């Protein structure tokens, strides 16, 4: 497999409190990732705001996890970074991504560094710094929204016996976004049910809100980290419709105002 593949696999399963278990599938996964990175055709130009956000967030988080010896988490973030590089990227941003790769795959990183026309060794370069102004939590929330939707579809497909012709993805009713935003903000100050219900109350949806609040108090993890709007979720699904269709090799239909859907958690129907 090569030294970089072995190194990447070992650090991806390394954790100070756990023993390492060798896995043939795991090392093959590391090899596939390295091949994708090495063979990827990079188009240099101007980085989109999404890529700038991902690069700067990755520099911040990977640096912190290396300091804390959380190499396994750093590798996950590194994979996500390189898999997110699509379209144009600035030379500076790509250089930063290679510097993040270097401690885990030093030989491959040096090769890619030289292919860029850089002189000297990447291992002697200064570690990249992140720009906090280019980190946008909303862009992260949109990325997570699509990734979580893909995971949910994969999980559902395990239980579907007949191959469907299409998948219908429906986002939540608009009122839920406003209500949950209010619930989330109030829960940061108090867990008093009556106070939270009163803050989020909407006469038209009083019964539904009265049911939602206790469920969030019981399990706050159900609340999205950042509440998007219905319009933003719809647009993000529409932008990624081809990606979803290629992922599942099925027609994708996008709808809105589904009773069962929640902000950040669209309903999924196989037909």
């Amino acid at each position: 497999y090569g030294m970089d593949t072995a190194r990447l696999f070992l650090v991806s399963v390394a954790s100070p409190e756990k023993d390492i278990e060798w896995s043939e599938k795991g090392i093959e996964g590391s090899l596939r990732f390295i091949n994708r990175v090495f063979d990827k055709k990079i188009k240099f130009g101007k980085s989109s705001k999404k890529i700038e956000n991902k690069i700067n967030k990755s520099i911040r988080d990977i640096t912190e996890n290396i300091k804390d010896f959380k190499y396994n988490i750093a590798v996950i973030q590194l994979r996500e970074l390189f898999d997110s590089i699509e379209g144009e990227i600035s030379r500076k941003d790509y250089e930063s991504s290679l510097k993040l790769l270097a401690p885990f795959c030093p030989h491959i990183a040096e090769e890619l560094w030289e292919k860029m026309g850089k002189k000297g060794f990447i291992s002697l370069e200064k570690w990249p710094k992140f720009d906090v102004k280019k980190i946008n939590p909303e862009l992260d929330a949109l990325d997570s929204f699509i990734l979580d939707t893909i995971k949910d579809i994969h999980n559902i497909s395990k239980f579907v016996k007949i191959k469907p012709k299409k998948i219908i993805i429906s986002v939540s009713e608009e009122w839920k976004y406003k209500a949950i935003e209010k619930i989330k903000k109030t829960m940061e100050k108090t867990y008093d049910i009556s106070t939270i219900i009163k803050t989020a109350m909407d006469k038209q949806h009083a019964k539904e809100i009265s049911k939602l609040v206790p469920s969030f108090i019981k399990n706050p993890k159900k609340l999205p980290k950042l509440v998007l709007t219905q319009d933003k979720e719809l647009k993000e699904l529409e932008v990624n419709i081809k990606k979803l269709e290629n992922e599942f090799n099925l027609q994708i239909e996008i709808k809105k105002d589904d009773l069962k859907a929640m902000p950040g958690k669209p309903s999924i129907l196989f037909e």
Side-chain angles (χ1 to χ4, degrees):
Y1 293 105
M3 196 59 242
D4 275 7
T5 303
R7 182 185 180 99
L8 181 66
F9 169 70
L10 290 171
V11 294
S12 70
V13 294
S15 179
E17 70 275 5
K18 292 181 181 178
D19 292 330
I20 291 175
E21 289 187 15
W22 185 263
S23 164
E24 204 68 32
K25 287 184 179 179
I27 196 165
E28 286 171 2
S30 294
L31 178 62
R32 285 195 298 272
F33 168 71
I34 287 175
N35 285 337
R36 284 201 308 274
V37 171
F38 194 77
D39 296 335
K40 196 164 195 172
K41 293 180 180 179
I42 303 298
K43 185 179 179 182
F44 292 115
K46 186 178 180 181
S47 295
S48 66
K49 288 185 178 180
K50 262 192 173 183
I51 288 180
E52 285 183 340
N53 171 68
K54 195 70 179 177
I55 292 283
N56 285 278
K57 186 172 179 288
S58 297
I59 294 170
R60 182 192 67 188
D61 296 347
I62 291 172
T63 302
E64 201 61 36
N65 283 317
I66 289 173
K67 285 180 180 178
D68 293 341
F69 302 102
K70 296 178 180 176
Y71 304 127
N72 52 336
I73 297 173
V75 169
I76 291 170
Q77 293 164 339
L78 190 68
R79 286 173 180 267
E80 289 176 355
L81 169 62
F82 277 91
D83 287 343
S84 71
I85 297 175
E86 293 177 357
E88 289 187 356
I89 183 171
S90 71
R91 284 185 170 272
K92 183 182 176 183
D93 285 339
Y94 189 63
E95 286 172 15
S96 294
S97 67
L98 290 182
K99 289 176 183 178
L100 294 175
L101 178 70
F104 304 98
C105 303
H107 305 89
I108 296 298
E110 293 291 359
E111 288 291 328
L112 292 172
W113 188 251
E114 188 178 344
K115 280 176 72 175
M116 282 188 72
K118 307 295 288 185
K119 294 181 180 179
F121 294 105
I122 193 172
S123 56
L124 299 178
E125 289 289 317
K126 289 183 179 179
W127 190 251
K129 294 181 179 180
F130 67 90
D131 184 350
V132 70
K133 293 178 182 177
K134 292 182 178 179
I135 297 175
N136 187 335
E138 187 174 287
L139 293 176
D140 285 335
L142 289 168
D143 279 344
S144 296
F145 173 67
I146 294 299
L147 289 172
D148 290 343
T149 301
I150 289 172
K151 287 177 186 176
D152 288 344
I153 294 172
H154 276 301
N155 289 333
I156 293 168
S157 65
K158 293 175 184 177
F159 301 98
V160 177
K161 294 179 181 179
I162 301 170
K163 185 172 175 62
K165 292 181 180 178
K166 71 175 179 179
I167 300 171
I168 299 172
I169 304 172
S170 305
V171 300
S172 180
E173 296 170 293
E174 194 168 5
W175 69 267
K176 286 184 182 178
Y177 295 87
K178 296 174 183 177
I180 290 175
E181 179 68 38
K182 290 177 182 177
I183 291 169
K184 185 177 173 64
K185 284 183 179 179
T186 309
M187 282 181 64
E188 290 172 1
K189 300 174 184 177
T190 179
Y191 269 47
D192 181 68
I193 291 178
S194 59
T195 303
I196 299 168
I197 291 175
K198 188 178 179 180
T199 305
M201 186 48 66
D202 169 3
K203 289 181 180 179
Q204 191 178 346
H205 305 100
K207 287 184 180 179
E208 293 95 328
I209 290 170
S210 296
K211 290 179 181 177
L212 280 174
V213 172
S215 69
F216 288 134
I217 289 174
K218 187 178 180 180
N219 187 2
K221 289 183 180 179
K222 286 184 178 180
L223 283 166
K225 289 182 180 179
L226 190 142
V227 183
L228 299 166
T229 63
Q230 184 195 65
D231 185 53
K232 285 177 180 176
E233 287 190 358
L234 278 171
K235 284 182 179 177
E236 192 66 14
L237 286 168
E238 287 164 0
V239 166
N240 287 278
I241 195 165
K242 288 295 180 187
K243 179 180 179 178
L244 292 164
E245 287 179 338
N246 291 335
E247 178 78 19
F248 300 102
N249 196 26
L250 287 168
Q251 179 191 346
I252 301 290
E253 185 179 341
I254 298 164
K255 291 184 177 181
K256 64 178 182 178
D257 296 329
D258 191 284
L259 293 169
K260 295 179 181 178
M262 292 290 287
K265 198 81 173 174
S267 68
I268 298 162
L269 178 67
F270 282 41
E271 279 196 352

